[in-house]
Amino acid sequence: ALRADLTWTASDDPELASYQVRATPGPAYSADDETLLATLLPGAPLTYQTAAGLATPGAAMSYKIYVRLTTGREAGSDPETVFHPE
């Protein structure tokens, strides 16, 4: 089965609370339609694999990694899109 293999660089912010993997269907990321796929704590592997939304030929999913701080602030990465070949 087709899977998205996501990896990212560790945050060096001392207030890091967690990383979140979020996704939206389609080739353009939309914060209004994002779904939380995983929350990973500091020290966890900086990788995530998923097949969600990629079962149908021609499908696309867009992903962002968010850094969440203990202060409640968060920042998202640039989006990455994975396409299922037709």
Side-chain angles (χ1 to χ4, degrees):
L2 181 69
R3 300 179 73 81
D5 292 316
L6 308 171
T7 60
W8 58 95
T9 305
S11 170
D12 59 3
D13 193 307
E15 296 179 328
L16 175 66
S18 65
Y19 300 97
Q20 285 191 341
V21 180
R22 301 180 194 171
T24 63
Y29 195 91
S30 169
D32 292 335
D33 296 325
E34 67 187 6
T35 299
L36 174 63
L37 299 181
T39 299
L40 300 117
L41 298 178
L46 302 176
T47 183
Y48 185 77
Q49 295 181 338
T50 181
L54 296 172
T56 306
M61 288 292 286
S62 296
Y63 303 92
K64 279 190 175 186
I65 308 302
Y66 283 81
V67 171
R68 298 181 44 109
L69 304 180
T70 56
T71 61
R73 297 189 68 192
E74 66 180 23
S77 67
D78 289 336
E80 292 292 330
T81 302
V82 176
F83 295 93
H84 185 295
E86 292 192 38

